[in-house]
Amino acid sequence: MSGTLYVIGTGPGSPEQITLEAQAAIAASSHFFGYKPYIERLNLTPDQVAVPSDNREELDRARAALALATEGNTVAMISGGDPGVFAMAAAVCEAIDTGAPEWRGIELIIVPGVTAMLATAARIGAPLGNDFCAISLSDNLKPWAIIEKRIRAAAGAGFAIAFYNPISKSRPWQLGKALEILREVLPSETVVSIGRGVGVHRGSIGHQALSEVKAETIDMSTCLIVGNALTRVIERPEKPDLIYTPRWVPEHG
Ligand code: SAH
């Protein structure tokens, strides 16, 4: 018997930013995996079961969800934002790739969501209005040297960069080092948009010059969008500043 596994993006935090497709997938599921605070905000019905995941490693959690779906259940794996952006969809694919042959027969439905960089960008203007990329500063699963290389290359090539997983108790120095590299490559006045807990109660949005950003003022619920040399600040009377990166690039970049 083989069931269904939904991998569902629930957006950055506000109920308005959960898509109708995600709501329908949540309503259709009987068992829920995922980070506890994300599941708590779903208001499950009494017959829907939250499977405690006791901080298990992502791949183990993906395997447990696949095993439960194989028994014929409709299982949901819940991610914040989009499940394909530094989240569970890739872990589920990896588990299928390396796992039991019957897992390939499971109905796998990945439901996209509003990812943190898009929610942050929309709150402040259009800092991702031209070419951009996203970099996770977590070096849990990739070497720090590769992260440095990517930051230098992306900033040097004029991409705006959205940074995820900027800092945490177990990764205290990485953001400071990333800012150092960015300051070597980009002008000190480069605009950095800072979205903290966007869509969540007490969330905030703001911007600073690259030279002013202090790693110790940033926390793990924050997405930073470092603009390129063309990113601009529009000051407006009685309205928050708008940040945008123009759609055009001059002849010599
Ligand atoms: N799948 C998620 C990202 C998971 S990685 C997504 O698509 O958004 C976790 C990181 O996402 C956090 O460290 C932070 O950088 C960012 N993030 C998640 N929710 C956020 C929010 N509401 N506001 C700002 N950044 C957020």
Side-chain angles (χ1 to χ4, degrees):
M1 205 156 84
S2 122
T4 300
L5 176 58
Y6 287 106
V7 187
I8 305 171
T10 55
S14 80
E16 291 83 15
Q17 289 181 328
I18 302 183
T19 67
L20 294 176
E21 187 187 5
Q23 289 175 35
I26 291 163
S29 300
S30 59
H31 294 75
F32 291 77
F33 284 82
Y35 183 51
K36 207 167 158 216
Y38 295 157
I39 294 185
E40 276 167 2
R41 58 186 198 216
L42 298 182
N43 298 322
L44 299 184
T45 60
D47 55 337
Q48 291 179 310
V49 185
V51 182
S53 65
D54 56 30
N55 266 348
R56 254 187 298 191
E57 205 262 311
E58 278 94 348
L59 201 50
D60 288 338
R61 205 188 303 162
R63 290 185 180 121
L66 284 158
L68 200 58
T70 317
E71 292 166 16
N73 298 296
T74 301
V75 179
M77 174 68 78
I78 302 296
S79 276
D82 182 276
V85 179
F86 309 124
M88 286 306 297
V92 169
C93 290
E94 188 179 339
I96 293 172
D97 194 16
T98 56
E102 63 267 28
W103 289 354
R104 295 179 187 224
I106 288 171
E107 192 69 56
L108 175 68
I109 300 170
I110 299 173
V111 181
V114 179
T115 187
M117 67 179 173
L118 300 186
T120 298
R123 283 284 303 277
I124 202 158
L128 303 175
N130 208 312
D131 300 334
F132 66 89
C133 66
I135 297 179
S136 166
L137 285 185
S138 170
D139 54 355
N140 289 344
L141 296 172
K142 62 185 168 182
W144 178 253
I146 298 285
I147 300 176
E148 284 199 3
K149 191 174 156 189
R150 289 182 180 176
I151 295 171
R152 209 176 285 280
F159 287 97
I161 308 174
F163 286 101
Y164 285 73
N165 296 310
I167 197 160
S168 73
K169 281 205 189 79
S170 58
R171 293 180 296 97
W173 56 264
Q174 286 81 345
L175 177 60
K177 185 69 197 161
L179 290 168
E180 249 176 56
I181 295 166
L182 289 164
R183 287 178 186 130
E184 285 169 25
V185 181
L186 295 169
S188 59
E189 64 275 16
T190 303
V191 190
V192 182
S193 305
I194 302 172
R196 182 174 171 278
V198 173
V200 180
H201 178 58
R202 291 179 198 278
S204 67
I205 185 88
H207 68 89
Q208 287 182 329
L210 177 58
S211 56
E212 290 170 355
V213 180
K214 291 191 175 53
E216 59 274 18
T217 64
I218 306 291
D219 70 14
M220 64 183 290
S221 65
T222 303
C223 180
L224 289 98
I225 300 179
V226 177
N228 64 21
L230 298 170
T231 304
R232 296 175 54 79
V233 181
I234 307 175
E235 290 171 3
R236 304 184 295 173
E238 292 163 40
K239 290 264 187 293
D241 292 348
L242 271 179
I243 309 296
Y244 79 106
T245 303
R247 292 162 302 134
W248 44 263
V249 178
E251 195 60 38
H252 299 290

